[in-house]
Amino acid sequence: MPQHIIIAGGGSAGWMAAALFARLRPAPLTRITLVESDAIGTIGVGEATVPILQDFNRLLGVHEPEFVAATQGSFKLGIEFVDWGHLGNRHFHGFGDFGAPIEGTAPHHHWHRLRTAGREQDPIDAWSMPAILARQDRFAPPEASRGEAAEYRYAYHFDAGLYACLLRSYAQSRGVAHMEGRIVDVERDPHSGDVAALRLDGDRRLDGDIFIDCTGFASRLLGAELGVALVDWSGWLPANRAIAQGSARAGRFTPFTRSTALTAGWQWRIPLQHRTGNGLVYSSRYLSDDEAAHILTSNLDGDAIGEPRLLRFTTGRREQFWAHNVIAIGLAAGFMEPLESTSLQLVQTGLARLAELLPHGRVAPPIRTEYNRETIAEYERIRDFLIAHYCISQRPEPFWRDSANMALPDTLTHKLALWDAMGRVPMYDLESHAEPSWAAILLGQGRIPQGHDPAADRMSLESMAALVAARRDTLQAAAARLPQHDHFVRRTCHAQAA
């Protein structure tokens, strides 16, 4: 008998699940049905991603220019952080490192040595190809560069609603059934406790074997029906509100997301071809919704489009992500705010993990245990990375001072202690962000370590300075050969007017 996979909920998460399983588990061994209600809607706003979405689209066979055009998208080299460490602070977290290791040692240790000796005045960004390109609003895929200058990756900005439509067409063309309806009840097997069927409005019944919960914050199956609680992380990540607002395109068409710290949170700017996505993430303890809406609309660089949308959330994760025969994906599994664009990353990695572990038949308990172990570890590593953005800030406002003074998870405490001692970041299991990402945030906000790796002292200062100067010339020359971001988009993936 074919295994019947029911996906509860649409949006980006639901249709990513449908598309992936249609690709990896085609009929006749698998039936896939997605049920969603137009009355409920989705959270989707202008979305920013991380580079692994390239892998997802490539697996599906979705051609990049068609994807970018269909979603009114643009390209992303990383995130520019403004005013995070202190007012006037500006740094860049790019999708790449700071060059190849020098005699086996990471470049930021050599940067620290040169800086300590008074031989380096520029920030570490000057050693980053994505940061150099971003500063000049230039973009092309890495293969357009040469040699070491090509060691970077990129991601996308796109309209999440349009992406869901693209994936829906892909999935349905490969046999995924779509049902419109609201879930009114859930049937459980009286012996195993598994979900047996969904009851939909109109007195319809939908039975299945595996249920993927993509119902957003409601977590209709895993949370509400199975009672899997949310592990609350708001003590570490206190933002619990976001206001999203589109605006007409204006100003620079940047190949990066901008995150600007404000008195009680931060504002995002995501440039798309047909508009700019904006939002303010904040804590209601320090800022009212009306104040937040006023701040956001006052900071738009183009005319407002539509009305602001208020989103309420609690940061955290479910105690389990797979219980009985239900697996939560996306917001149904947890949420840690959009600071480093990890929402779709967690959808993608959760689905990839599920595709690897899900058998065609009975699910042995160790399979669920392993899925939960890996997913919990991934969430906790991302959690620590996000907390680090807040807790090292020197800003004086109460929101930031409280963040700087909070008790940290032990894993993050150890990371920061080792960094302070010698500029190293210990990597745990299932890290999403490698050491160069940590170095970009910590050095960018002025968290300068006391020392560096002793191996960086092997080369003479004169030789090191000459090597770094040559590297910079190589990066600058490579950047000058690449086109402006808007020119590259117009030439390769221009979208029709919305």
Side-chain angles (χ1 to χ4, degrees), residues 47-55 57-58 62-65 67-68 71 73-77 95 139 154-158 257 270-272 341:
E47 191 80 58
T49 65
V50 295
I52 65 169
L53 192 68
Q54 292 181 48
D55 304 326
N57 287 343
R58 191 177 299 119
V62 175
H63 192 43
E64 181 175 272
F67 155 71
V68 176
T71 60
S74 65
F75 295 90
K76 176 184 175 184
L77 291 163
F95 296 134
F139 175 80
Y154 64 91
Y156 311 102
H157 307 116
F158 60 82
T257 303
I270 298 175
L272 307 177
S341 308

Side-chain angles (χ1 to χ4, degrees), residues 132-311:
I132 292 170
L133 291 174
R135 207 171 292 126
Q136 302 175 34
D137 290 339
R138 295 182 182 273
F139 175 80
E143 53 267 25
S145 301
R146 298 175 186 169
E148 189 177 332
E151 296 299 318
Y152 63 91
R153 298 191 71 188
Y154 64 91
Y156 311 102
H157 307 116
F158 60 82
D159 185 307
L162 294 177
Y163 187 46
C165 290
L166 177 68
L167 295 175
R168 173 175 172 171
S169 297
Y170 177 97
Q172 289 186 288
S173 70
R174 286 158 177 80
V176 173
H178 174 246
M179 294 183 66
E180 203 290 323
R182 185 171 57 88
I183 299 171
V184 296
D185 198 9
V186 179
E187 290 184 17
R188 305 275 297 276
D189 184 285
H191 303 292
S192 67
D194 287 355
V195 172
L198 304 181
R199 288 283 186 181
L200 308 181
D201 54 2
D203 197 27
R204 294 172 293 168
R205 183 180 184 276
L206 184 61
D207 64 329
D209 303 302
I210 295 293
F211 293 80
I212 302 178
D213 187 349
C214 298
T215 59
F217 291 130
S219 194
R220 178 67 176 82
L221 303 184
L222 189 76
E225 178 62 35
L226 298 185
V228 178
L230 184 75
V231 178
D232 190 336
W233 284 344
S234 56
W236 289 316
L237 295 167
N240 60 359
R241 298 280 194 280
I243 293 182
Q245 172 74 72
S247 65
R249 265 193 60 185
R252 296 168 58 192
F253 187 43
T254 59
F256 58 87
T257 303
R258 178 177 295 128
S259 171
T260 303
L262 301 171
T263 57
W266 60 277
Q267 181 173 328
W268 77 71
R269 179 184 183 273
I270 298 175
L272 307 177
Q273 291 189 43
H274 61 311
R275 61 177 170 85
T276 300
N278 311 274
L280 180 63
V281 178
Y282 61 100
S283 168
S284 59
R285 177 182 171 189
Y286 303 88
L287 196 67
S288 73
D289 296 341
D290 289 342
E291 290 171 325
H294 175 73
I295 291 171
L296 176 61
T297 55
S298 299
N299 287 333
L300 301 179
D301 56 10
D303 294 336
I305 299 176
E307 296 297 321
R309 295 178 56 194
L310 175 63
L311 309 174

Side-chain angles (χ1 to χ4, degrees), residues 45-162:
V45 292
E47 191 80 58
T49 65
V50 295
I52 65 169
L53 192 68
Q54 292 181 48
D55 304 326
F56 185 83
N57 287 343
R58 191 177 299 119
L59 175 63
L60 298 183
V62 175
H63 192 43
E64 181 175 272
E66 296 172 1
F67 155 71
V68 176
T71 60
Q72 298 276 355
S74 65
F75 295 90
K76 176 184 175 184
L77 291 163
I79 305 171
E80 180 187 52
F81 289 91
V82 179
D83 294 337
W84 272 78
H86 54 79
L87 286 175
N89 172 239
R90 190 181 291 261
H91 64 281
F92 197 82
H93 174 204
F95 296 134
D97 51 29
F98 301 104
I102 301 171
E103 294 194 343
T105 306
H108 70 271
H109 292 285
H110 298 278
W111 177 89
H112 182 272
R113 182 187 174 208
L114 290 171
R115 179 184 182 277
T116 302
R119 303 288 292 268
E120 176 58 87
Q121 306 301 320
D122 290 333
I124 192 70
D125 291 1
W127 298 27
S128 164
M129 184 64 169
I132 292 170
L133 291 174
R135 207 171 292 126
Q136 302 175 34
D137 290 339
R138 295 182 182 273
F139 175 80
E143 53 267 25
S145 301
R146 298 175 186 169
E148 189 177 332
E151 296 299 318
Y152 63 91
R153 298 191 71 188
Y154 64 91
Y156 311 102
H157 307 116
F158 60 82
D159 185 307
L162 294 177

Side-chain angles (χ1 to χ4, degrees), residues 33-54:
T33 301
L34 185 145
V35 58
E36 63 179 337
S37 171
D38 292 338
I40 295 175
T42 61
I43 299 296
V45 292
E47 191 80 58
T49 65
V50 295
I52 65 169
L53 192 68
Q54 292 181 48

